[in-house]
Amino acid sequence: MTEIDSILSGVKTAAISGHVRPDGDCVGSTLAVYNYIRDYYPQIDVKIYLEPSPNIFKFMQRSQDIDSTYADDTVYDLFIALDCSDTGRLGNAAKYFESARKTLCIDHHVTNGAFADENYIFPDASSTCELVFELLPTERITKQIAECIYTGMVHDTGVFQYSCTSKKTMDVAGSLMEMGIDYSRIIDETFYTKTFGQNKIMGQALLNAELYCGGDIILSVISREEMERFDVLPKHLDGIVNQLRVTKDIKVAAFLYENEDGTYKGSLRVNGDYDVAKIAAVFGGGGHVKAAGFTIDGPKDVAVERVVSAIKENI
Ligand code: 5GP
Ligand code: MN
């Protein structure tokens, strides 16, 4: 019996959720655990709650079961939080966490303060999906569960490129490849393929970019108006900050986009030994040493000036 099986024993109702604005690791890890429970614990009444995510993730098994309405007020025996560093990041699912009889957190964020009853938190893991692989009995990982786990790993490692990628990451990915998944298709269709609008807004973001601090910092901002012009939603802006980061000789890349309420969502990426989780924390955000995020008040010029100053102070 693995740890996950001992936690599930005796449970009659369970809820699964992840962080707001779910990314590949969040959708992959929550669906992997959801599918596992559906496949092997038919007696458990399990639900999965997540905010809407991009269509590229809809190929994962039972993605149509994801509840984005959070309409019910069920009190669950067990609540499982995945890829989520604090209860605030659970968004509308926080009420299920608060009322659940028992809570479990599986995560890899360095800023995670172990907020659940049981915590499985390893900041050195490439992704929450890598941790899910460790927690599930390998012989019970179906091809469909393997697809969920692999997708999350691909997204959080930038296709096994970022420094969070370890030998263990590659070993896990190798095991998943042996389970018959179409790995090259998953990489192409969920990571590289962009809609025309997404490519256009990437172009706009690159045109909007400015250098600061003698070229140490690159920062770009996308407005609501620009998102409307290219017919894209915030969830379609993934990848822009990574493109900014590969600008030659920059140390920190920052990308801001305007929220509906006039605040700005910020993403930070870094080259070299700088800790952007610390910089994001200045604005109440968090994440990883090399990839972090936050939300900051507008107007734009004030937000930009505050972000640039916070980065300058930390590099
Ligand atoms: P991204 O820039 O891709 O939105 O996020 C980078 C990393 O930082 C992800 O692991 C994400 O979960 C985390 N992150 C992004 N925004 C926030 C935030 O507002 N608060 C916290 N605590 N973490 C964030
Ligand atoms: Mn993650």
Side-chain angles (χ1 to χ4, degrees):
M1 205 183 230
T2 63
E3 269 176 84
I4 195 94
D5 289 315
S6 61
I7 287 167
L8 291 173
S9 103
V11 167
K12 290 196 178 68
T13 58
I16 296 168
S17 193
H19 63 76
V20 291
R21 309 179 203 229
D23 57 10
D25 190 31
C26 181
V27 180
S29 59
T30 50
L31 275 173
V33 173
Y34 177 76
N35 284 318
Y36 180 78
I37 297 176
R38 287 291 305 269
D39 288 347
Y40 298 105
Y41 290 86
Q43 72 278 20
I44 297 181
D45 187 6
V46 59
K47 281 211 61 173
I48 176 167
Y49 299 95
L50 282 181
E51 289 184 354
S53 65
N55 287 335
I56 48 171
F57 300 131
K58 303 269 150 78
F59 82 97
M60 284 186 255
Q61 188 184 27
R62 300 192 179 102
S63 67
Q64 73 281 1
D65 289 3
I66 294 173
D67 183 323
S68 302
T69 68
Y70 309 87
D72 65 294
D73 289 318
T74 312
V75 174
Y76 289 97
D77 288 343
L78 175 68
F79 181 92
I80 308 176
L82 290 129
D83 201 35
C84 187
S85 56
D86 55 76
T87 52
R89 298 267 295 155
L90 284 170
N92 291 326
K95 63 178 177 182
Y96 306 116
F97 172 88
E98 300 300 342
S99 64
R101 293 178 190 94
K102 189 173 177 175
T103 57
L104 164 69
C105 175
I106 304 169
D107 187 32
H108 70 131
H109 288 96
V110 66
T111 47
N112 192 312
F115 61 88
D117 300 330
E118 305 248 3
N119 296 283
Y120 193 81
I121 297 159
F122 292 90
D124 287 341
S126 69
S127 51
T128 301
C129 279
E130 187 177 316
L131 297 173
V132 168
F133 179 89
E134 284 176 353
L135 281 168
L136 300 184
T138 311
E139 70 283 0
R140 284 182 160 202
I141 298 180
T142 61
K143 181 182 164 193
Q144 288 77 16
I145 294 174
E147 286 172 346
C148 299
I149 297 175
Y150 191 82
T151 304
M153 292 179 73
V154 161
H155 281 256
D156 264 25
T157 61
V159 195
F160 308 107
Q161 182 211 341
Y162 307 149
S163 59
C164 61
T165 310
S166 65
K167 175 180 181 295
K168 192 194 249 173
T169 311
M170 301 310 274
D171 288 343
V172 171
S175 302
L176 295 167
M177 288 166 81
E178 281 182 343
M179 294 172 183
I181 60 170
D182 195 341
Y183 43 88
S184 120
R185 184 166 174 195
I186 290 175
I187 292 172
D188 202 43
E189 293 185 3
T190 76
F191 193 87
Y192 289 112
T193 303
K194 301 285 173 198
T195 63
F196 190 53
Q198 279 180 304
N199 273 332
K200 298 276 265 193
I201 203 144
M202 168 78 82
Q204 187 65 57
L206 297 178
L207 286 171
N208 294 354
E210 305 257 10
L211 296 176
Y212 299 84
C213 216
D216 285 347
I217 303 169
I218 187 166
L219 182 147
S220 177
V221 188
I222 285 286
S223 66
R224 299 280 327 158
E225 187 275 316
E226 285 163 325
M227 279 186 259
E228 279 159 28
R229 191 176 345 136
F230 298 115
D231 196 21
V232 295
L233 297 169
K235 65 183 178 183
H236 301 129
L237 302 177
D238 245 32
I240 291 179
V241 71
N242 292 316
Q243 190 59 43
L244 294 170
R245 183 190 64 82
V246 296
T247 307
K248 190 160 164 50
D249 296 331
I250 68 104
K251 291 178 178 153
V252 177
F255 174 60
L256 303 178
Y257 67 80
E258 192 181 359
N259 290 315
E260 260 170 47
D261 63 3
T263 62
Y264 286 81
K265 171 76 183 123
S267 286
L268 299 170
R269 298 293 186 270
V270 69
N271 294 317
D273 283 333
Y274 307 102
D275 180 351
V276 285
K278 221 167 68 187
I279 302 172
V282 171
F283 307 111
H288 309 287
V289 172
K290 289 180 182 284
F294 58 87
T295 299
I296 188 169
D297 287 339
K300 175 183 147 180
D301 294 347
V302 176
V304 168
E305 145 64 23
R306 287 179 68 203
V307 171
V308 170
S309 303
I311 298 171
K312 252 189 210 169
E313 276 167 33
N314 283 279
I315 64 172

